Structures are given as structure tokens and as C-alpha cells.
Amino acid sequence: MKAQMFGWLRRGRIVMIGFALFASGCFGGDSGEERTQANIPKETTNSERHSPEADSKPFEYPMQGTAKLTLMTEFPDMGMPNRGAIDQEYEKRTGIAIRHLGGVPMQDNKFSYLLASGNLPDIFMNNWLGYPGGPEKAIEQGYILPLNDVIDRYAPNFKRVLEQHPDIDKMVKTDSGVYYAFPFIRAESDRVYGGPIVRKDWLDELGLAVPATIDEWHAMLKAFKEKKGASAPVTFRTLFLGERTAGFAGAFGVMGNFYVKDGKVTYGYLEPGYRDYLATMSQWYKEGLIDKDFAVLDLETVDKKMTSGTSGATIGWHAYIEKYNLAAQSNDSAARYVAAPYPTLIQGAIPEFGQLDNAYAGTSSAAIKATTKHLEAAVRWLDYAYSEEGSLLNTYGIEGVTYTMGNGVPTYTDLVVANPDGLSSDQVMLQYAHQTNYPMIQRDAQLIWKFEETNQALDVWKKTKHENYLLPPITPTTEEANELSALMGGISGFVNDAELRIILGVDPIEAYDEMVKQLRLLGIGRVLEIKQEAYERYINR
């Protein structure tokens, strides 16, 4: 049988944390004395009422009763997910049924409507760091629960994480020590997962190397346009221009977001290098090298352009390389897609920025509705992910189906590594495991992708100095967060519009100087003060 074998220990601190955590943790078990808090619901269902004798016994999965919980995520594009093998297995093991209600991002107006309706799900996976006024505001307003007491009562596995790993504990609470969500902690191996992607077959045909500098990118894009007939030589969605990656800005020593430089919180748009970056992007757009529709593109359109010959380069996630190469193979196309490094201005230099997430970025972290009638079931269901069994299931899927275990080492089966239907390993694992964007301590799944180009991509994209600039998951006070929300409501919209106007050539590059002045009038200085104070409190936690 063709299978990929691997060991548990991998590089990176979070991976080591995960191994030590799950190797030492036991499965289930209550701990801590029960305490009540005024804003923790007292009402329970019949399935959650225990006799004193039952409460004294260690808890074991599956949970007895018929609790059914509702759940939402922050990903609207997932819609109403089909019930897959992982969902069925989770219900069997935990004894708790989940009804998925789709996804709503916090910045969407639908999120506000949901709050106003009072129809929150029992469990809401979202980025609660981004809640207007901060996570403590969401608690104060009665939407979600503080978790300190319920962790003691019903979450022994997650409690063990906090006790044994103070670095995780520091990340996932507020400055005042309040836990507000069960977190998604990325593995070290998964903190980088996106970057530039190019058509290697076109480069070979044109006698060009994979570009490493801005000048080489310019030459490549011109060649794609003039010699390959690409009408949109590079195409991408706007989220790759600073929101999630540095895009091309890292070559100029900046990124369109907040970061820490020499101990000071910095807003990249104010830095001189950002002017040079915008001037370059505006020139590329004028020359027809950047997709003229990039400001309004969705993923499906980008995919079509990358697989039809309309475009030869993009910025995207790791799995896009696999997706594009699979499409080429199925169409008997000679197209080949590879990762390109984040560019620099000087050959051989290391870019300051690329794409790198904090181990805890706040995303996909699960809060519990303050008025849930199924409190224990919600906590037990979430706590399962932090147990050894839950970790194995979320990482490797179902034993005997997606992996086998020998001498304590999981080995993927042919269903994953040599799928009879031609599916890539990640496509298979989507059905049988959670692996990412889920409240858990992520482990390196060590998937072997179908195409070597995909396997090599992360090592290409990791070569930046981004780690030196990461702003940790700070939590401003409720008052500070309210002020930030009010200020950034005007700043974010303004700066995004001003940036696009310059790139699209609506405004000349000289408009950048006016943009900086306007940002100061809108209160960016006060924003930086608040974030600096919150950053210093975080460092001193």
C-alpha cells in the first residue's frame, strides 16, 4: 500500500507545544471546584442535570442525553456545509449533535442584524478580537459568555493547555484575564500559507527565471503580455494587498497594515516606502500589467483567469497551486504553477514582509452564546478538540479510513495519498478532518501533496523577516476599543479608497501626500497611541 509515514515531532515551537500537550493530557475528566457567576446561565436541559453522585465522577465521552447545538462560522463562502464524515464522527464520539447555520463575518452588516435579532447560535466561531469594543464588550452586552468559570467546570483538556503552556494562555485572554473563546492556535508549520504564484511553463518557454526582484517581476509581466497574449498578466483579489499578505509592498519595506517596528506600533500606509510602492503599482497598472478589474474580482474569476491563459501570475494561498496544477493535468495542459518568493528591490536581499500569521490571530475561535440552554454540552463539545483523541481526529481523520497507527505513528492510507478518484490529499481530508480554521491546537498534518510544486511552496514563501514585525493579539480596553472602532471606521474606508484611486490612475501619486495628511486629521495618531498602550500591556502580561 502506498502511504506516507511521518513522525510526531516537527520543527517549530507550537508544534512542540502541541506534542507535549497531547502526549501528557488525559482524555476527559472534570477538574476544579464548581463556581457560579451571575451572568452564566443556570438553566439546563434534562440531559445536563446531574445528581451529586454523577458530578463526583470523572466525565467520559460520549455525553449522555440528546443535546443539539447550533453553530456558525465567519466564512460566508462556505454557505450551509454538507454534513460530512468528520461531522458524523464528532457526533458519535462526543454524543452531541451540531446543526450548522452557515457563516457571517464580523464586519458584515448581517452580523449586526444577527446580534439585533437575538438569534445567535450556541457556538459562534469568529474573530472576537475584532468585535466593536473588543471581546469584553461582547460579554458586557450579554452576547457571549466569559469562560473562566466554565473552563474550570467543564473543559479539563483546554484548562490543561492553559496551565502547561503560559505562552498560549497569554495570547488567548484579555489584559484583565478574561477568557472569551476557545481558540484556534496555528501550528508553526501552518503560519505561512500564501504568496506569489507564477506560470513556470511560460517562464521556461520565455527563457526567464522565477522572479525574485521587482524589476524581474516587471520584465516577466511584460513578457507575459507581449509574448503570451495575457490580457491580465497578474491578477489577484484586493485582500492580498496588505490585509492578508504584503503582496508587492514588502519589497519596499512596508505593509498596508499595523505592525511593530523597533518596539513601536506602526501603520504601514504612513511610511515613505508605501509611496514608492504605490507609484510602482500605478505604473504597472498603466502599462496593462495588472488586471484592470482586480478591485472587484472574486476567487472564481481569479481561478478562471489563471487556468485559461488570461493571467500568468497571482497572489494566493498554498492550495491554489495544487488546484491549478490539478486543473491543468485534467485538461491535458502543459501549464505548471509554482511559488515565487516575495520580491525585493535588490537581488539576494530578504524581504521585510510576506505573509505570516500569529499562532493565535483570533480567527475561527469559538465563543458561547450567553443565553445558551446547553452550556455544558457546548463546552464539552469544544473541549474535545483539545484532548488527545480529538487532536488525532482533527489532524489525521478517522483511524482505519484515512490513517493507520503503528508504533504510535500515524500513516496515511491510499484514500489520502493515492486517491482512486484523483482527489488531492487536502480535498480528501476536508471530508474527514478539520485540520485548520477550527478551535483547536493545530498539529502539522504533514500531508504530501500530489504535486511537488505545492510541497515546495511554503519554504519559498517563508524567506522573509516578517516575524520581526508581527503585532501580537492585543486587547484594548472596552473604552479604547470603542474609540478605535469609531476612528478606524473612517480611516479604513478612506485609506482603501485612496490607495485604489492611486493604483488605478484616478489620482496621481502626489495624492499620497494628501492621503497621509488626511489620515492624521482622521485620528490615526490617536489610533497608534491606543494600540501602543495595548501592545505594552500585552508584553507585560
Side-chain angles (χ1 to χ4, degrees):
M1 180 176 77
K2 298 176 185 175
Q4 173 61 31
M5 204 168 193
F6 44 80
W8 291 92
L9 296 177
R10 296 283 286 178
R11 64 190 179 279
R13 191 160 174 239
I14 292 296
V15 175
M16 293 298 293
I17 286 172
F19 175 71
L21 163 66
F22 295 117
S24 62
C26 62
F27 179 49
D30 251 333
S31 63
E33 62 182 5
E34 291 197 9
R35 297 175 297 191
T36 31
Q37 192 168 319
N39 53 0
I40 293 180
K42 307 298 193 300
E43 184 178 358
T44 58
T45 64
N46 289 333
S47 66
E48 295 180 15
R49 293 192 182 107
H50 302 291
S51 66
E53 292 78 9
D55 281 341
S56 65
K57 297 177 182 178
F59 174 82
E60 293 183 358
Y61 291 101
M63 187 175 183
Q64 300 304 303
T66 56
K68 178 172 284 190
L69 307 175
T70 52
L71 178 145
M72 292 185 76
T73 73
E74 62 190 290
F75 303 112
D77 53 342
M78 292 176 64
M80 302 287 282
N82 296 324
R83 184 175 167 81
I86 179 63
D87 302 297
Q88 297 169 10
E89 189 70 14
Y90 235 79
E91 181 174 336
K92 182 176 76 173
R93 294 191 187 191
T94 64
I96 300 163
I98 294 291
R99 183 161 64 97
H100 291 270
L101 301 180
V104 179
M106 200 164 287
Q107 64 272 23
D108 195 306
N109 286 334
K110 292 178 182 178
F111 182 83
S112 299
Y113 300 150
L114 188 63
L115 294 180
S117 73
N119 295 322
L120 289 176
D122 294 299
I123 298 171
F124 203 159
M125 298 179 190
N126 219 302
N127 186 353
W128 293 95
L129 288 173
Y131 184 83
E136 289 191 11
K137 187 69 172 181
I139 293 171
E140 177 188 317
Q141 292 176 331
Y143 294 122
I144 65 174
L145 281 176
L147 299 179
N148 299 55
D149 282 356
V150 297
I151 289 170
D152 285 344
R153 293 160 66 187
Y154 304 130
N157 296 300
F158 183 51
K159 183 176 181 179
R160 190 174 299 109
V161 171
L162 302 176
E163 291 175 342
Q164 296 181 354
H165 303 285
D167 50 347
I168 291 179
D169 181 69
K170 179 178 180 178
M171 286 187 272
V172 302
K173 63 187 178 185
T174 67
D175 292 328
S176 57
V178 174
Y179 302 103
Y180 53 90
F182 285 80
F184 169 47
I185 306 293
R186 284 193 182 276
E188 183 67 23
S189 59
D190 204 52
R191 292 176 61 202
V192 172
Y193 49 85
I197 300 168
V198 298
R199 283 278 301 262
K200 182 64 164 61
D201 58 305
W202 281 5
L203 291 175
D204 291 343
E205 183 180 334
L206 295 167
L208 298 173
V210 174
T213 67
I214 289 294
D215 285 345
E216 288 175 348
W217 266 88
H218 184 255
M220 176 190 75
L221 296 178
K222 284 192 68 176
F224 284 178
K225 179 185 178 183
E226 296 168 0
K227 299 180 180 179
K228 298 304 301 179
S231 59
V234 62
T235 184
F236 45 74
R237 291 180 286 159
T238 55
L239 67 89
F240 294 106
L241 294 183
E243 181 183 339
R244 299 298 301 277
T245 78
F248 298 103
F252 300 87
V254 293
M255 181 174 180
N257 213 322
F258 292 97
Y259 50 88
V260 178
K261 183 178 181 181
D262 300 326
K264 297 295 182 182
V265 178
T266 302
Y267 194 45
Y269 294 102
L270 302 176
E271 297 295 291
Y274 213 85
R275 190 184 197 280
D276 298 332
Y277 157 67
L278 289 179
T280 299
M281 292 299 99
S282 180
Q283 181 61 35
W284 285 10
Y285 188 85
K286 183 179 179 181
E287 293 177 26
L289 304 182
I290 295 176
D291 192 329
K292 63 182 178 61
D293 298 319
F294 81 92
V296 294
L297 293 180
D298 59 16
L299 175 58
E300 183 179 359
T301 306
V302 171
D303 287 349
K304 287 180 180 178
K305 292 187 177 191
M306 283 297 293
T307 54
S308 66
T310 302
S311 302
T314 189
I315 304 172
W317 305 135
H318 187 215
Y320 293 7
I321 298 176
E322 190 83 353
K323 175 171 59 174
Y324 296 156
N325 282 319
L326 274 172
Q329 185 181 71
S330 65
N331 294 326
D332 294 324
S333 167
R336 276 294 176 270
Y337 303 83
V338 301
Y342 279 95
T344 59
L345 294 180
I346 302 172
Q347 189 73 41
I350 299 175
E352 301 295 322
F353 295 92
Q355 179 272 315
L356 179 69
D357 276 10
N358 281 302
Y360 175 63
T363 57
S364 300
S365 295
I368 297 174
K369 181 172 70 171
T371 57
T372 181
K373 295 182 179 180
H374 305 285
L375 175 59
E376 181 179 354
V379 179
R380 297 290 189 192
W381 187 82
L382 289 166
D383 191 52
Y384 181 73
Y386 303 91
S387 70
E388 168 66 5
E389 284 193 21
S391 175
L392 282 171
L393 176 60
N394 284 325
T395 306
Y396 304 111
I398 302 171
E399 187 172 4
V401 179
T402 55
Y403 78 96
T404 58
M405 187 71 81
N407 298 319
V409 178
T411 304
Y412 283 123
T413 65
D414 281 349
L415 179 68
V416 180
V417 299
N419 185 265
D421 297 322
L423 298 176
S424 63
S425 56
D426 68 312
Q427 289 174 322
V428 175
M429 293 304 291
L430 281 173
Q431 305 171 43
Y432 293 95
H434 288 124
Q435 291 204 326
T436 190
N437 295 321
Y438 195 79
M440 62 181 180
I441 308 292
Q442 188 183 44
R443 293 157 86 159
D444 183 357
Q446 299 184 41
L447 282 177
I448 296 298
W449 300 79
K450 186 179 182 70
F451 296 93
E452 190 58 30
E453 292 90 342
T454 321
N455 290 318
Q456 296 170 348
L458 298 187
D459 286 335
V460 173
W461 293 332
K462 284 177 181 177
K463 296 174 182 177
T464 74
K465 299 178 183 178
H466 204 134
E467 185 80 55
N468 300 335
Y469 299 95
L470 272 181
L471 179 66
I474 58 175
T475 52
T477 66
T478 298
E479 293 75 17
E480 289 173 340
N482 285 334
E483 190 176 358
L484 277 176
S485 180
L487 291 169
M488 289 305 298
I491 288 171
S492 297
F494 168 75
V495 77
N496 290 337
D497 182 63
E499 177 182 41
L500 282 177
R501 289 175 65 87
I502 292 173
I503 294 175
L504 297 176
V506 176
D507 291 338
I509 188 59
E510 288 75 20
Y512 170 82
D513 303 315
E514 185 59 35
M515 181 187 85
V516 171
K517 292 178 183 177
Q518 188 63 29
L519 283 172
R520 300 198 186 282
L521 291 174
L522 289 171
I524 191 63
R526 176 58 183 152
V527 169
L528 290 170
E529 286 178 6
I530 293 172
K531 287 185 174 287
Q532 183 68 34
E533 290 170 4
Y535 170 67
E536 290 173 3
R537 289 197 303 270
Y538 178 89
I539 295 301
N540 292 323
R541 282 182 190 174

